[in-house]
Amino acid sequence: MSPEEMLLDPLRLAAEAEPERIQPQRRIHAAEQPGQGPVVPPVRTIVLDRAPLPAPPPSERASVRTQLAGAGPERLRLEEVSIDYGPKQAVKSVSLSIHQGEVLALIGPSGCGKTTLLRTLNRLTELTPSASRAGRIMLDGEDIHELPDTTLRGRVAMVFQQPNPFPMSIFDNVAFALREQSRKRPRRRELEPQVIEALRRAGLYEEVRDNLDGPALRLSGGQQQRLCIARAIAPRPEVLLMDEPCSALDPISTKTIEKLIGELRRDLAVVVVTHNLAQAHRIADKVAFMYLGDLIEYGSTAQVFDEPRATRTRDYVGGAFG
Amino acid sequence: MSVSSPYGIRLRPPMKSGPGRRSSPLHWRWTDRLALAFAWIAGLGLCAIAAAIVLYMGYRGVQYLRPSLLVSRPEVSLSQSGSGGFLDPVLGTLMLTAIGIVLAAPLAIGSALWIAEYGRPTWLARIVESSIEVVAGTPDIVIALFGLAIFQLPLLAPFSFTASGGGVFGRSFLAAGSMMSLIALPPLFTATRDGLQAVPDHMREAAFALGKTKIATIRAVLLPSVRSNIATGVTLGISRIIGDTAIVVFLLGDTPRLEPQGSAPVTGLLRGTGSTLTSYVFDNSPAGEGGAPQKAYAAAFVLIVFVLGLNLLVDRIGRSHADANGLNVAGAVV
Ligand SMILES: Nc1ncnc2c1ncn2[C@@H]1O[C@H](COP(=O)(O)OP(=O)(O)OP(=O)(O)O)[C@@H](O)[C@H]1O
Ligand SMILES: [Mg+2]
């Protein structure tokens, strides 16, 4: 499959996305939002040693992506989010909007706050005692800090850099994600369809169908990572966060997972942190470039890569394809 | 040996190539060479000592151990031939070990979980860890003496052997077992805590990220991950209990036979007195009353077989668990 096909296939799928997945209240809320398009973040004053380039006519690819981005409702909205670790400011007043049906890639040099920002979206930063936060994060119009953390994390799932299946069987890894806290253990028979569905969506089912009770840690790294994705999407979250999901994997597993991300965005909003600019270019609809905690640039993939507004962005992405 | 390739590079035959060339110790500094020699001698020397113990005890054991000794009860007698077997000490060892571990395991695992997963406030965590270190460093005879003081309190009379006049002797399987749990606790605690601390944080976060609470994470992810560490800790604890003599002499009464207190079947035994293989070995050796040195050797052999067998068993359990979960596959996360 050529990269072009990989891109187009999910587009068609997104167009066919079932409308009933958008619940009525959320639709009402979405209607109240004035601008349905991407939120333009307040661009921070950054030293530009050159005037921004005039916007060239959008390339064909860019316009395709823009159409797609418009298709989904807004899921997450960040308003002036700042994160401090003690005296150190790791994320500085970032505003962003994340839509269903699109993949947002967070890029930037090491230590610029990508992981911190990502972990704030499901409130994992709260586990760090020194971390403090300012600003608001809205999930479907609700402040995520008003939600119980367990509820929020059921709706905003996460995949980590290291594949980290639990020391149990493949089936139980996914079933564990589906079991409610307080309720009685549902029987295996009840969970089985959901588990299989999640494994199938993660593109793993065919490889493990005969070995569902085998230990998850026996899988290869790439299979483990897809199991982690299955585990994360099994409870049908609205947003999927991924922190360098392919950095521990070989090129073939990486390709499988990139393809998977393209398919998943049909009914999810996906945020991917990546150091691999070519990967960001392949999989993302929107790109946010961070530098030393600042959100320097946020826009469609084509715009950020082809016509970056800021010099820093140009320098950073220039290294990738220059 | 070498094959020349079409490119003119001389290749070694692929299957036979050994490890690559390494620097020879002959070129090292003399202090480094001395250290290397010492390391070899120390390692080999320890092997020799361990082999000597096992072989000597094996020899004596084969010489004196008769199966009948394991199933017959000790008799009070002045002659070696009339002193019976050591069924009661074997049972005593097993019971005491079971009581000690049953009491120690929840305490040790619970406090390890608290230290590794909660551990706040920090000053309290530090106090807990140092307390366990103090217990670990206390000689068993001091623990035994302390236990005697505790169990002789009239309040605790129901737990131990009480004379008909109402005198509390503070001696029973319960008294000895609870002090044994103190000496089994530190290794079990340390093994569990170290295991938990070795679980990478992103494993916990992966469970949190699924909306799981901390307690659910501990139950479903952390405890299964450290199961083999707990098994190791339990073995270490059991070896310490099996090998201890001071607590047996102080708190178990060191009566040759199991002497139940009262007529209730289980609680009677728990409140009663008895002896273990270690105290039996001591009592019958030339260092003790010296009544039956051959039986002391036979019992010592059984003791060694117990400990070795136990190590093997728990090792096997830990390994098969790791196998079943793929934990020991190279490159696995845990
Ligand atoms: N737990 C923490 N305590 C204190 N400072 C932290 C902590 N985690 C991250 N930081 C700091 O916050 C800044 C942002 O870190 P973050 O991990 O978000 O960077 P990143 O963009 O993900 O980098 P990388 O690409 O290397 O993963 C860094 O300067 C880092 O030193
Ligand atoms: Mg990071």
Side-chain angles (χ1 to χ4, degrees), chain A residues 100-128:
Chain A
Q100 176 174 324
E102 72 179 23
V103 176
L104 169 67
L106 281 178
I107 59 169
S110 183
C112 69
K114 305 179 295 293
T115 299
T116 304
L117 182 62
L118 197 73
R119 289 161 55 89
T120 307
L121 301 183
N122 64 352
R123 287 171 56 195
L124 277 185
T125 13
E126 285 176 8
L127 301 176
T128 311

Side-chain angles (χ1 to χ4, degrees), chain A residues 13-14 16-22 100 236 266-267:
Chain A
L13 295 174
E16 291 163 10
E18 325 100 282
E20 64 271 19
R21 276 204 42 85
I22 306 159
Q100 176 174 324
R236 297 253 164 206
R266 172 181 150 197
D267 32 33

